[in-house]
Amino acid sequence: MPQLSLSRDGDVAVLTLDNPPQNRIGVPMTTELVAAVDEITGSGVRAVVLRAEGPDFSYGGDIVPWEGQDGRELRASFEHFLRAFNAFEQLPVPVIAAVHGLCFGGGFELALRADVLFAGESARFGHPEQTLGIVTLLGGIHRVTARAGRARAMEWALTSEPVPAAVMAEAGVVNRVVPDEQVFTEALAFARRVAQGPTRAHAVHKALLRTWEVGGTAAADQVLFDLSMPLFETDDVRRGLASAIAAYKAGQPRPVLTFDGH
């Protein structure tokens, strides 16, 4: 049975983990994730919402197949997972995660690939890997560090304690905490809003932040104009700039435009 579903709400794609109750992540789900990324990339959608069916977002990796596998087999699986997650992270459109219930292990690492993370009030996040004697294999600890800093990332990785959504929001990992029953609708409303923005500029912002995470401010400055100057050739910028100048000359407030993403 499929473990992911992909639907469309106007310009927004909705990607759903659909293997409840625990939405465990293994080879079948990540294979479907790669196919979903390809479909999203060619679909013309301008934002993505990541959500889950069932009482919890995800318990993390499907560890049952790991038993009996040697290091070579395990590494091949983990490299496949990492490629799938990274491809999802590198989608050129904004990705908004809507997290409810428990969000652990690989599920947490997948949610961290989103650009903006909404969480229900009762959501809890955690790295259970230390209970297995392993580490966050899909980049969790360093992605939490990028959002919350080294001290908290290390504490949470060392203890595997479930962390409430409010604490994650205070630390900068979660963007917004909303009532549980509203987490998907709030995330979808936000996605619809950004989908009406300058899609190509959103893609440049994502690329600049990826460059910054690799090489810091100097590296991002180095590629800044290579990535951003082509925007001035887009229809969105031509319209946006013209309307802003006209408003300025008329002494009027700058109008809010709905962009076409071209």
Side-chain angles (χ1 to χ4, degrees):
M1 295 290 292
Q3 297 187 5
L4 287 179
S5 64
L6 183 62
S7 60
R8 185 161 178 169
D9 183 296
D11 287 328
V12 178
V14 179
L15 182 62
T16 303
L17 308 186
D18 198 7
N19 188 30
Q22 296 187 358
N23 289 312
R24 291 278 182 174
I25 297 169
V27 172
M29 184 178 285
T30 49
T31 300
E32 291 179 38
L33 179 60
V34 171
V37 167
D38 288 342
E39 186 171 345
I40 290 168
T41 301
S43 68
V45 300
R46 299 170 62 190
V48 177
V49 174
L50 173 68
R51 62 175 298 274
E53 289 287 355
D56 297 296
F57 185 81
S58 174
Y59 274 50
D62 181 7
I63 64 174
V64 174
W66 300 1
E67 189 174 23
Q69 293 188 30
D70 60 27
R72 179 186 58 80
E73 294 171 314
L74 286 169
R75 177 166 180 157
S77 293
F78 298 148
E79 287 179 341
H80 166 71
F81 300 158
L82 186 62
R83 285 193 299 271
F85 278 31
N86 287 354
F88 180 65
E89 184 176 45
Q90 292 167 19
L91 280 168
V93 295
V95 176
I96 296 87
V99 174
H100 68 281
L102 303 182
C103 183
F104 289 166
F108 186 17
E109 292 174 296
L110 181 59
L112 286 166
R113 264 48 180 207
D115 302 299
V116 177
L117 206 163
F118 282 63
E121 291 172 330
S122 67
R124 290 182 292 159
F125 300 80
H127 300 297
E129 287 83 0
Q130 71 87 29
T131 63
L132 301 174
I134 61 174
V135 301
T136 56
L137 292 166
L138 301 179
I141 188 171
H142 41 276
R143 283 175 173 80
V144 171
T145 299
R147 296 182 182 218
R150 186 184 188 280
R152 283 195 161 178
M154 191 64 176
E155 176 187 348
W156 293 333
L158 289 173
T159 63
S160 290
E161 66 177 76
V163 183
V167 175
M168 283 293 184
E170 184 273 330
V173 177
V174 166
N175 292 80
R176 301 188 190 184
V177 179
V178 300
D180 291 334
E181 67 275 10
Q182 296 177 20
V183 63
F184 173 62
T185 56
E186 291 281 347
L188 181 60
F190 183 85
R192 287 170 175 161
R193 174 185 167 190
V194 298
Q196 299 307 304
T199 303
R200 291 181 60 178
H202 294 334
V204 170
H205 273 140
K206 292 186 67 162
L208 286 170
L209 285 175
R210 287 197 301 271
T211 303
W212 171 79
E213 288 180 335
V214 172
T217 299
D221 281 348
Q222 189 69 31
V223 301
L224 175 59
F225 294 130
D226 290 338
L227 294 174
S228 63
M229 295 310 296
L231 294 174
F232 286 87
E233 303 301 320
T234 65
D235 292 337
D236 281 350
V237 171
R238 290 191 182 102
R239 288 198 306 115
L241 190 58
S243 68
I245 291 172
Y248 172 76
K249 289 180 176 179
Q252 299 294 324
R254 184 177 300 177
V256 177
L257 297 185
T258 297
F259 291 96
D260 296 323
H262 300 115

